[in-house]
Amino acid sequence: MSDNPNQQQTKDRGGLSQEELDALVASSDTGGRGSTGTVGIFLTCVALAWSLFQLWIASPIPFIVGWGVFNDTESRSIHLAFAMFLAFAAFPAARTKFQLGLGVVVPVVLAFLFMVGAKEGTTTWWIPLIAIALVAAVLLGSPKDKVPVWEWAMAVVGALAALYLYVYYRDISGRVGAPILQDFVVAVIGLMLLLEATRRALGPALMIVASVFLVYTVLGPYMPSIIAHKGNSLSEIVNHQWITTEGVFGIALGVSTSFVFLFVLFGSLLDRAGAGNYFIQVAFSLMGHMKGGPAKAAVVSSAMTGLISGSSIANVVTTGTFTIPLMKKVGFSSEKAGAVEVASSVNGQIMPPVMGAAAFLMVEYVGIPYFDVVKHAFLPAVISYIALVYIVHLEALKAGMEGLPRAYTPKPIVQRLIGIAFTIAAICAISFAVYYGMGWIRPAFPATAGYIIFVFLTLVYMGLLYIASKEEPLELDDPNSPVTSLPLPGPTVRSGLHFVLPVVVLVWALMVDRLSPGLSAFWATTYMVFILLTQRPLTAIMRGEGRLGGALKAGVTDLIDGLETGARNMIGIGIATATAGIIVGAVSQTGVGSALADVVEVLSGGNILAILFLTAILSLILGMGLPTTANYIVVSALLAPVIVTLGQQNGLIVPLIAVHLFVFYFGIMADVTPPVGLASFAAAAVSGGDPIKTGVVAFFYSLRTAALPFLFIFNTELLLIDVTWIQGVFVFIVATIAMLLFAAATQGWFIARNRIYETLALLLIAFTLFRPGFWMDMVSPPYSEENPTEIAEAAMATPVGEDLRLRVAGMNDLGDPIEFVAILPIKEGATGEERLQNAGLAFRNEGDTLLIDDVAFGSAGAAAGLDWDQEVLRVLRPVGQPSKYLMFIPALLLLGFVVFLQRGRNARAPRKAAAA
């Protein structure tokens, strides 16, 4: 055995040192160039300036002092300028020969396209010069240890191109739609440099996709007829993509500017304060003693870290450096240990409140409050994590693993249950006191309520910090050294309770006060800054250590590091949202969305399940190179409206939030899916396993995440849509049991090793628990089909508040024939005709054909999509149906039979072993 523990640790990590692991994270998240020397200090100052700017525009201070107020377009311009500058300064140009080749080819292709798209009489001689200059800068080389002069030039020019909208905002607003030569030059330079920055920071995939959409924008007339369009000129591209807020400076970049940066910064500061280490230690102290305990602790710690981290790769390396060696120690193979870490880290991006930045994009794209996005996303995320813990448990059962030794002798089960009940009661009492106390303070002291709340929070913070100061500081042990016991749960939990306060501030502002996400993140971040500056000095005073000056200096250093890391973590997200804006802009400019709907409908044959599978496959293909945020933007812009439209045409009314979550869930598979899953490569670097095998196993573990979107599309109760709290609790319990059974089926182990028929039975039971209505609809149809000419009688027979379903045929906005299902809510009325009139509808009969004669503006009929002269093909009236939950009875009986079979095999196994 080696005498050097660092060498042994390196060996266990597959030959990568901690420095190399840090470099792996840096190359994908914060930039491959370090921050040492004069250049490093300068880049640190730029990153700090970016963080301070974002805090400034999010705060109420500019409006109070009347200075430094920026509108949305100006803020986006400055935000992108920082991202562009740091992308060229922090990320070297050459990764592989293929990527370097793209850096040469793409500018040449774009220059040719822009010249083709220029209108007659437009000066274009300058376009090839820009392309040649960019190609030369790429070919000159880009060392990792310094920034050459030509890259400084690219960084400055890219930042100036982004700042153009801020500097010339008033002039541009006076000539919208009529760009001048100056606009042309800046836009072409900006688009080319943005794509080059994308290649450096994010790899080739997003650069290629955005370039393809630019090609499609110009060469529309030469495309296949089903997706052809008139083509757009260079003037239209410049105006749409760069000069207005339809393309690069659109909604996606606006969300990055307003919300995402602050949440990423908040997570960075929280991690710098020590919360990441605290979460890992708490998870291990509570779960390390269980079967496969380190793996279960890895899942829980990754879930908690995912709350504050927007990067699955950083999550893998942060928690995996500690958890993967411990998983291997208790019996997991290198690939399985890495796969558990990958699956849990990637799933961190579906956990509210951040959700890998997608939550804030959903607010803008779906048009619902942030609180509703979090509410809808919460249940599937929790169920997915519970199922992953269960998968780890099953793996431990298969291999006969044991947990790590406890650090204490556990109390009897009754005492533990009493302690848990007392803790829950205490938390509930404190929660009620805080909630109603805040509700009393605000009206009682309207002018000073904020100061009173801050003082109260500070007193609580000092109390928790005093408790923490009495415990030993938490340090990550060497996971490769012998483990004699786990940390004690009580002291471990107490040592960092003050880290919960900023999260409470964030959640309170979002969920209770219903502040905007940006303002909520601002208050949470400012409180986090206060904690960073004070926790070390106050702890030194409380411990009587006396090194106050050193503690103050360390606190300031932590703050600067956190602000810098937060900004550098945002480079890739800022560039990704801007480049995704090119794609979204091309979709809106060319009308490819409606053409794509036709393509998908042809490929799927109009089958909604086939449409969903096509969407999932496209998301996975794009996910092989796009970061999650960009993947979500692209696929949601292209396919979310398609799913809603085609679903309505086929009788399935899919809420828009369900479609966007569907797309997002498959987008997060980006970092898992072989052969490009970066999180799998990072985990394999730590575990020493094969990265492709690690990705395959992680994808297999993630099947539960892939199944959930299909389920909540057809059963929106999983998203807590139109359910009460009691129903929500019931849905959570049933869905969790169903997902555990699904996991047992896919893992081939329940109580004992599954036989084929038992696996099929478990899948059938899980499906029944998830969608009991599927079987009940076959037994007792929920609708009775009526003759269209008898629609008045059907309306009269429908209870008030229920929906009448009408399948109608007509023309869409483009004049093409279309069929769809309209949901018509029935209102009060003495007769069926009155009920239809109250819905704003009037009909006429032409023989056996029923046509819509009139639709009142703003009526329920208009909201359902009905219009004049549409033909009613079918009328479906709701009828009484037995409770769908009756289907649970045969499902549970079948489950009991499977349990009986497997328990019997388990009981016979020891007797056979003894006889042998």
Side-chain angles (χ1 to χ4, degrees):
M1 182 177 290
S2 171
D3 294 331
N4 188 337
N6 291 328
Q7 291 179 0
Q8 180 63 36
Q9 187 172 344
T10 298
K11 179 181 178 182
D12 287 343
R13 286 175 178 167
L16 291 185
S17 64
Q18 184 62 48
E19 290 76 14
E20 290 171 316
L21 289 171
D22 293 340
L24 176 65
V25 177
S27 65
S28 60
D29 284 342
T30 61
R33 291 190 177 113
S35 54
T36 57
T38 305
V39 171
I41 293 172
F42 176 71
L43 292 181
T44 297
C45 291
V46 174
L48 288 175
W50 192 9
S51 292
L52 294 175
F53 166 75
Q54 296 289 158
L55 286 170
W56 174 264
I57 63 173
S59 73
I61 297 175
F63 299 96
I64 295 172
V65 300
W67 178 83
V69 179
F70 301 94
N71 63 34
D72 288 344
T73 304
E74 293 171 332
S75 299
R76 295 173 191 182
S77 175
I78 298 171
H79 178 83
L80 182 59
F82 275 114
M84 291 271 277
F85 184 89
L86 288 173
F88 285 107
F91 288 89
R95 290 189 172 189
T96 64
K97 290 182 178 179
F98 171 70
Q99 293 188 29
L100 192 62
L102 281 176
V104 173
V105 171
V106 169
V108 174
V109 171
L110 289 181
F112 173 75
L113 279 173
F114 291 150
M115 294 180 72
V116 169
K119 291 181 179 178
E120 187 176 349
T122 303
T123 305
T124 58
W125 59 266
W126 48 271
I127 297 178
L129 295 181
I130 294 172
I132 291 170
L134 181 54
V135 169
V138 171
L139 291 176
L140 279 172
S142 179
K144 290 186 177 181
D145 55 346
K146 65 177 182 179
V147 184
V149 174
W150 53 89
E151 296 210 317
W152 283 121
M154 294 168 75
V156 171
V157 172
L160 290 176
L163 284 172
Y164 184 69
L165 263 71
Y166 169 68
V167 176
Y168 292 95
Y169 179 77
R170 292 189 181 276
D171 294 339
I172 292 172
S173 62
R175 59 171 186 265
V176 174
I180 60 176
L181 180 60
Q182 179 177 293
D183 299 338
F184 279 86
V185 175
V186 172
V188 169
I189 291 174
L191 287 170
M192 287 188 177
L193 287 177
L194 176 59
L195 290 173
E196 171 61 16
T198 303
R199 182 185 70 83
R200 291 166 178 251
L202 303 165
L206 185 56
M207 181 194 198
I208 293 172
V209 173
S211 300
V212 167
F213 272 88
L214 286 175
V215 171
Y216 175 73
T217 302
V218 176
L219 302 182
Y222 307 100
M223 295 292 161
S225 59
I226 195 169
I227 60 170
H229 66 99
K230 69 177 181 61
N232 296 99
S233 67
L234 178 60
S235 174
E236 292 169 332
I237 293 172
V238 165
N239 185 72
H240 197 81
Q241 293 286 9
W242 200 268
I243 302 303
T244 65
T245 55
E246 297 295 325
V248 170
F249 297 93
I251 289 176
L253 187 64
V255 171
S256 177
T257 305
S258 304
F259 307 144
V260 178
F261 190 104
L262 289 172
F263 278 85
V264 171
L265 180 61
F266 173 72
S268 174
L269 294 174
L270 194 56
D271 185 58
R272 187 63 193 172
N277 178 26
Y278 173 69
F279 290 155
I280 295 172
Q281 295 281 29
V282 167
F284 268 86
S285 68
L286 295 175
M287 305 189 72
H289 65 280
M290 300 177 180
K291 291 181 182 293
K296 293 175 182 175
V299 174
V300 175
S301 60
S302 292
M304 292 190 290
T305 306
L307 294 174
I308 62 172
S309 171
S311 169
S312 56
I313 299 167
N315 199 340
V316 165
V317 175
T318 301
T319 59
T321 301
F322 185 68
T323 60
I324 289 174
L326 285 175
M327 281 190 266
K328 291 169 65 177
K329 185 172 294 184
V330 297
F332 281 87
S333 67
S334 296
E335 286 75 20
K336 286 186 176 181
V340 169
E341 183 59 47
V342 169
S344 54
S345 295
V346 170
N347 265 31
Q349 294 191 70
I350 67 176
M351 283 297 292
V354 179
M355 295 171 61
F360 316 110
L361 290 162
M362 288 181 194
V363 170
E364 300 295 329
Y365 288 158
V366 182
I368 62 176
Y370 174 81
F371 176 83
D372 290 344
V373 172
V374 171
K375 180 184 76 172
H376 297 320
F378 180 73
L379 205 60
V382 173
I383 292 171
S384 183
Y385 262 112
I386 291 173
L388 184 56
V389 172
Y390 183 61
I391 287 173
V392 169
H393 178 71
L394 293 176
E395 290 285 3
L397 285 178
K398 291 180 193 177
M401 299 178 193
E402 296 296 332
L404 297 173
R406 290 179 185 264
Y408 66 102
T409 302
K411 296 178 181 178
I413 185 66
V414 176
Q415 291 186 23
R416 277 189 282 171
L417 290 175
I418 293 173
I420 292 171
F422 178 79
T423 302
I424 293 174
I427 292 173
C428 290
I430 293 172
S431 300
F432 277 110
V434 170
Y435 181 80
Y436 288 106
M438 294 293 183
W440 171 77
I441 289 173
R442 290 188 185 280
F445 306 96
T448 58
Y451 300 104
I452 294 172
I453 292 170
F454 175 75
V455 170
F456 171 75
L457 272 175
T458 303
L459 292 174
V460 174
Y461 162 63
M462 293 184 68
L464 294 176
L465 196 61
Y466 178 79
I467 295 171
S469 69
K470 301 306 176 185
E471 308 296 341
E472 290 294 324
L474 288 181
E475 299 291 343
L476 278 177
D477 301 322
D478 180 2
N480 298 289
S481 62
V483 179
T484 56
S485 64
L486 292 165
L488 287 166
T492 304
V493 171
R494 290 194 295 270
S495 65
L497 282 174
H498 57 287
F499 293 133
V500 178
L501 280 179
V503 179
V504 170
V505 171
L506 176 64
V507 174
W508 183 278
L510 285 170
M511 305 299 181
V512 180
D513 284 347
R514 300 292 181 94
L515 301 180
S516 70
L519 193 56
S520 301
F522 168 76
W523 290 120
T525 302
T526 52
Y527 199 72
M528 195 63 242
V529 169
F530 170 72
I531 290 177
L532 266 173
L533 290 174
T534 58
Q535 70 169 350
R536 288 182 184 271
L538 288 175
T539 302
I541 293 172
M542 292 172 181
R543 287 178 175 163
E545 294 174 348
R547 296 174 295 174
L548 191 58
L552 283 169
K553 183 179 178 181
V556 172
T557 302
D558 286 342
L559 175 59
I560 292 174
D561 288 346
L563 291 172
E564 179 192 4
T565 303
R568 292 182 70 125
N569 283 337
M570 271 301 300
I571 298 172
I573 296 176
I575 295 295
T577 50
T579 308
I582 295 177
I583 300 165
V584 175
V587 171
S588 63
Q589 190 172 25
T590 62
V592 69
S594 58
L596 190 66
D598 295 336
V599 174
V600 172
E601 186 172 22
V602 169
L603 293 176
S604 65
N607 184 285
I608 187 65
L609 199 57
I611 294 168
L612 294 175
F613 271 111
L614 284 172
T615 305
I617 291 169
L618 180 59
S619 299
L620 289 175
I621 292 172
L622 287 173
M624 290 183 183
L626 296 190
T628 304
T629 308
N631 189 354
Y632 165 70
I633 294 170
V634 173
V635 182
S636 64
L638 290 174
L639 290 177
V642 175
I643 295 175
V644 173
T645 302
L646 297 184
Q648 185 182 21
Q649 291 177 16
N650 290 274
L652 178 66
I653 308 302
V654 185
L656 192 56
I657 182 63
V659 176
H660 279 260
L661 284 172
F662 179 93
V663 168
F664 175 60
Y665 264 61
F666 282 99
I668 69 163
M669 307 298 280
D671 292 326
V672 178
T673 312
V676 194
L678 295 179
S680 299
F681 278 84
V686 179
S687 69
D690 180 86
I692 300 299
K693 289 182 179 177
T694 300
V696 171
V697 176
F699 183 79
F700 193 61
Y701 288 162
S702 300
L703 282 177
R704 75 208 186 287
T705 309
L708 274 171
F710 286 96
L711 294 167
F712 61 59
I713 284 285
F714 292 98
N715 182 8
T716 55
E717 288 180 348
L718 285 171
L719 301 180
L720 300 180
I721 295 176
D722 297 329
V723 297
T724 64
W725 279 104
I726 295 176
Q727 289 173 321
V729 172
F730 176 74
V731 168
F732 170 70
I733 294 171
V734 172
T736 301
I737 294 172
M739 185 51 70
L740 297 183
L741 294 174
F742 177 82
T746 56
Q747 292 301 303
W749 191 286
F750 184 33
I751 298 172
R753 187 175 300 279
N754 294 345
R755 294 182 175 159
I756 294 295
Y757 56 85
E758 292 171 338
T759 295
L760 294 175
L762 289 173
L763 289 173
L764 179 62
I765 296 165
F767 177 77
T768 303
L769 294 179
F770 272 121
R771 280 208 66 202
F774 177 83
W775 304 114
M776 185 54 72
D777 289 350
M778 295 177 66
V779 174
S780 175
Y783 294 98
S784 171
E785 184 169 354
E786 309 292 342
N787 191 310
T789 57
E790 298 176 359
I791 189 171
E793 291 81 355
M796 191 62 204
T798 301
V800 174
E802 294 287 330
D803 297 327
L804 201 63
R805 292 190 167 222
L806 309 179
R807 185 163 189 87
V808 298
M811 298 289 182
N812 63 14
D813 295 336
L814 301 176
D816 298 323
I818 187 175
E819 287 188 16
F820 66 95
V821 174
I823 307 297
L824 183 67
I826 296 300
K827 300 182 178 181
E828 289 283 357
T831 65
E833 287 80 0
E834 282 188 15
R835 292 186 172 188
L836 293 174
Q837 288 172 4
N838 291 337
L841 296 175
F843 297 89
R844 71 176 187 271
N845 291 319
E846 293 185 0
D848 293 334
T849 302
L850 180 68
L851 299 175
I852 299 176
D853 196 40
D854 189 24
V855 180
F857 178 78
S859 64
L866 300 174
D867 206 349
W868 296 341
D869 292 333
Q870 289 175 340
E871 180 184 354
V872 180
L873 303 176
R874 300 174 66 196
V875 175
L876 298 176
R877 176 177 60 84
V879 296
Q881 187 184 36
S883 173
K884 62 183 180 181
Y885 298 116
L886 290 175
M887 289 298 165
F888 286 176
I889 296 175
L892 294 176
L893 289 174
L894 182 57
L895 177 61
F897 182 63
V898 173
V899 170
F900 172 76
L901 292 176
Q902 295 205 354
R903 285 176 66 89
R905 284 207 304 278
N906 269 357
R908 290 193 297 271
R911 292 199 294 270
K912 289 183 178 178

